[in-house]
Structure formats: C-alpha cells, structure tokens
Amino acid sequence: MKHLCLACLALTCAVAMNGCLINSNRTRTVGAGEERVAVAFENDDAMRLFTQTLKGRYRQGKQLGTSHFAIPFIINSNVRRVMSEAAFFNAQVAQADLDGDDAISEAEARAYANEWEN
C-alpha cells in the first residue's frame, strides 16, 4: 500500500509540474553540413545591402515548421525544424542572383532588398 501511495504521489507531481509524464522539445537543423556557396559582389554597396537584408530574413525565415504530438497526461512532443545559416544563405543567393552568374550586382541586391520590404 505504501508503494502504491508513493507511486500515485510521484505521478501526481509529474503531471502537476509538467502536464505530462514525458515532455520532449527538440530542434532539428536542416542542411547542417552544408557549405556556403561562393558568390561575388559587384561592389561593396551590393554586398552590404545583400548581407543586411539576409540577416533580417534569417531571423524571420529560418524556421521551416513545427510538428506536435500529444496524448493528454502521457506524452507531449514538439519538434521545431530550422534551416542552417549556410543552407539559408545558399537559398537566398540563388534567389537574389537573378541572372545565375554567381555574382550579385547592385541592382540584384536592391531588388532582393525591395522584395523583402514589400
């Protein structure tokens, strides 16, 4: 009887403190091993404009989504998927380099920045 009371007390504390017996919150990074692509810039203004816009976009756009699984009082699992900085950089270079010449001109950087503002 004593063991049953202790088990009930432990179960009650676990549920009251966390809501579930098993809680799992994980973050998975997509493209973790990816290397940044080499890119050239027409001038310093193009590089500055692209990198400033890129930083703002990464803060807001790195999250790819979340998945959630729960059984009340038993398990609560959350998995958040985020893009690595290198993978995000590569995707944004591909988006900004409109003519595909592996170089970002000032006009391309300006178009990239304006697209984000609108």
Side-chain angles (χ1 to χ4, degrees):
M1 185 66 164
K2 183 178 178 181
H3 293 292
L4 180 61
C5 288
L6 287 175
C8 287
L9 179 63
L11 180 63
T12 302
C13 287
V15 171
M17 291 173 65
N18 295 334
C20 291
L21 292 174
I22 302 168
N23 284 296
S24 173
N25 291 309
R26 293 181 291 165
T27 300
R28 289 194 180 154
T29 304
V30 176
E34 199 169 321
E35 296 287 325
R36 281 186 171 202
V37 295
V39 63
F41 294 93
E42 181 181 59
N43 55 35
D44 288 342
D45 290 337
M47 181 176 66
R48 189 173 20 263
L49 186 57
F50 176 79
T51 55
Q52 286 174 348
T53 307
L54 178 73
K55 286 178 187 176
R57 282 188 177 190
Y58 184 69
R59 274 183 249 130
Q60 293 182 352
K62 67 180 176 181
Q63 185 162 326
L64 298 173
T66 58
S67 60
H68 179 80
F69 174 75
I71 299 173
F73 305 110
I74 306 296
I75 187 170
N76 182 27
S77 175
N78 291 305
V79 178
R80 192 177 115 205
R81 291 178 39 233
V82 296
M83 194 175 253
S84 73
E85 285 187 50
F88 190 81
F89 178 84
N90 295 344
Q92 296 304 299
V93 166
Q95 184 176 344
D97 187 16
L98 299 175
D99 56 9
D101 64 351
D102 295 328
I104 296 177
S105 67
E106 191 171 346
E108 289 173 327
R110 196 173 303 110
Y112 174 74
N114 289 339
E115 176 187 306
W116 185 56
E117 291 173 0
N118 295 330

